[in-house]
Amino acid sequence: MSLIETIQNKYNEFSAVAGNGLLGNMRAKAFEHYNKLGIPTSKNEEWKYTRITPLTNKNFELHTTAVLPSKEVLNDIRLQAECAAELFFINGVFVKEISSFDKDALVVLSLNEAAESEYKNYVQQHLNQSSKYMKDGLHALNAAFVANGLFVLVKKNKALQKPVFIYHLTDTNNDNVFVQPRTLFVVEENAQVQLIELYKNNGLQESFTNEVIEIVVQQNARFEYYKVQDENENCHHVGTTHVQQVGKCFTHCVTITLNGGTVRNNINMILEAPNNEGHLYGLYIINGKTHVDNHSIVDNIEPNCFSNEFYKGIMDGNSTGVFNGKIFVRQDAQKTNAYQSNKNILMSDTASVNAKPQLEIFADDVKCSHGCTVGQLDEDALFYLRARGLDEKQAKAFLLHAFAADILEQVKPEALHTYLEKKIDERLNVDAL
Amino acid sequence: MLEIKNLHAQIEDKKILNGIDLQINAGEVHAIMGPNGSGKSTLASVLAGRKDYEVTEGSVEFDGVDLLEMAPEERAREGLFLAFQYPIEIPGVSTTNFLKTAVNEVRKHRGLESLDAVSFLKLMKERMKLVKIDQSLTSRSLNEGFSGGEKKRNEIFQMAMLEPKLAILDETDSGLDIDALRIVADGVNTLKRKDNAVLLITHYQRLLDYIIPDFVHVLYKGRIVKSGGKELALELEEKGYDFIKQEVAEEV
Ligand SMILES: Nc1ncnc2c1ncn2[C@@H]1O[C@H](COP(=O)(O)OP(=O)(O)OP(=O)(O)O)[C@@H](O)[C@H]1O
Ligand SMILES: [Mg+2]
């Protein structure tokens, strides 16, 4: 049975169990929307270079309850670092029993619970705000199955010293799985937090993740976000990270893709209060047949906002990259400063990248810049290093490290930085060359 | 140690080296002088293995083996070192950083054990002192934002670390202040042994006051048109290249 058929079969059954209320309404509307639009094809301009339909025609199971993995498996995916929370999604379902968190600073509930709790307002106001920007059927499909998602709130004035981890585990030992994690993450006034999302796979079958995480950042808060993808080639991923900066605040988001099948990362940074500041970084180091599409939207709505976006890619083998960066500067957003840059290195003749910056500016007093480069490693630099005794492979590794370092240094949590540095080391020395 | 015979090289269709003969033995210091554009750096690049240049004729033997067949890193490991006329900048890679790999590759090639972090740092410190280069420089991105003189000194520092058999210094003296010139020259002299050799490419007699050459050659239009002892450099300093150009013209 194709995934498309499975979705139709599962929806009613699932919705009946999940109940009505706030989320029920949302599911119904979203499902209707999904049915109208279907899965985006390459005819959709936003999906021109990333083909999803071959996946949705395949057989994927849609699990709505989680089978808990063994302790060993869980331990294996953990970073073993000090943290403020470890939250687990197993096959797209948030599992509270195995999650732990600092209760003094955090509220952690399932979305179902949150919709009935004192935090109901947050759910009402912010859940699915991303649909204003993401109008395709796949995004709606996530909302159509919303229930067992995650709600996290970082309490007012709490500055967390250790990161919050969200682990996503896809278990593909028994079948191909389609999973849809959903998170609403609220950072209240004056709070500070580092959020790390890590994706891991266990099993040899295929997985297809369709994730949405929405983040609300309030006045004077500071939010850092790290999305790290290092699954195998059988793991496909479409994810939307929607960051809404509702008060004057600071955000810093880094997306790192080291492997995967077909990967699409949407990230939206909505600067809806004056004087907002946001940074977006990305690094993709891919080979084989991996496809990585980074789609970003920076929306400047109010005056005096600053945004900086910097993505880098190293592509080898037959891998393909896409960078699509949209910057909107709305009419009231005078004195906007918005910068964007994308740099790519192609290591083989068969790797390719499509880079497309898009600026839509409706205010007159703004500073915007964008630039894309695609090239090979610098021959003179290679020769210099070889003339000192490094072989070609070592020389390339040094130059690639240096290239990646700009982004890697934006990874602030020490444990994650060390982990990534090691991973990238391995990749650049052994695989990519 | 190095034997160049009838070496011709070109880039695209432009002939640059037109039959160079040069023999350098262990323990010797040679200087090559010559007008701008005569092919000095090209010769150095061909010897180091830059692949932009095509060798169309001739041969080069380095300790009895065909140098031209070797990859650049093999030449370096065999003990050839080129201090570049224009050392490039490599953002994100520090000297300390890549030099550890380089030194250990060279050692491996020579059948020596590789240095651990501690012994490497010790060697670094010692050689840094020799060329009076500061650690802040070697731990910065290679040559990025270095002054002209700092770049040159960093080249000599790397030479000191790699202990080559044959060091080719392409205008290392250009851009050095008087003190730095002396430091670099002292460094070269300290590292000079009976079993290694130096090829200096320079425009100025000044350097040759400190590093006394055994032979001076004049390269002109891609050929060595005159060779002599250290007094040839003095003569050139005094008279310029006109008399040599004239001699060449008369020969034709
Ligand atoms: N990549 C290149 N493409 C075209 N011409 C080149 C290239 N490299 C060198 N040449 C030419 O070859 C000739 C010799 O250059 P080379 O750099 O060897 O001279 P040089 O003797 O080192 O000069 P200088 O004293 O100015 O350093 C010059 O005419 C130069 O323009
Ligand atoms: Mg030159």
Side-chain angles (χ1 to χ4, degrees), chain B residues 40-41 85 170-171:
Chain B
K40 302 181 298 295
S41 294
Q85 181 176 4
D170 191 357
E171 294 199 28

Side-chain angles (χ1 to χ4, degrees), chain A residues 22 109 111 113-127 129 151 153 184 186 188 216 218:
Chain A
L22 199 60
L109 300 168
L111 273 177
E113 289 168 343
E116 305 296 327
S117 73
E118 56 185 297
Y119 305 104
K120 189 178 170 175
N121 275 348
Y122 280 124
V123 179
Q124 229 156 9
Q125 266 185 44
H126 296 292
L127 190 66
Q129 279 295 306
F151 175 84
L153 180 128
L184 177 61
V186 180
E188 285 193 328
V216 181
Q218 292 186 342

Side-chain angles (χ1 to χ4, degrees), chain A residues 384-385 387-390 394 398, chain B residues 76 81 93-107 114-115 120-121 123-125 127-128 131 133 138-139 142 153-163:
Chain A
Y384 186 97
L385 294 176
R388 296 296 186 248
L390 273 62
Q394 291 167 326
F398 269 102
Chain B
F81 179 89
V93 178
S94 74
T95 309
T96 315
N97 211 302
F98 80 81
L99 209 50
K100 180 151 192 264
T101 310
V103 165
N104 279 333
E105 283 300 330
V106 169
R107 288 179 66 89
S114 62
L115 295 178
F120 177 75
L121 282 180
L123 181 68
M124 282 253 312
K125 282 225 175 83
R127 298 294 147 92
M128 268 159 45
V131 290
I133 193 169
T138 52
S139 53
L142 181 73
R153 226 186 296 177
N154 191 30
E155 293 288 288
I156 297 305
F157 165 65
Q158 293 178 45
M159 180 191 96
M161 289 295 289
L162 293 166
E163 303 182 38

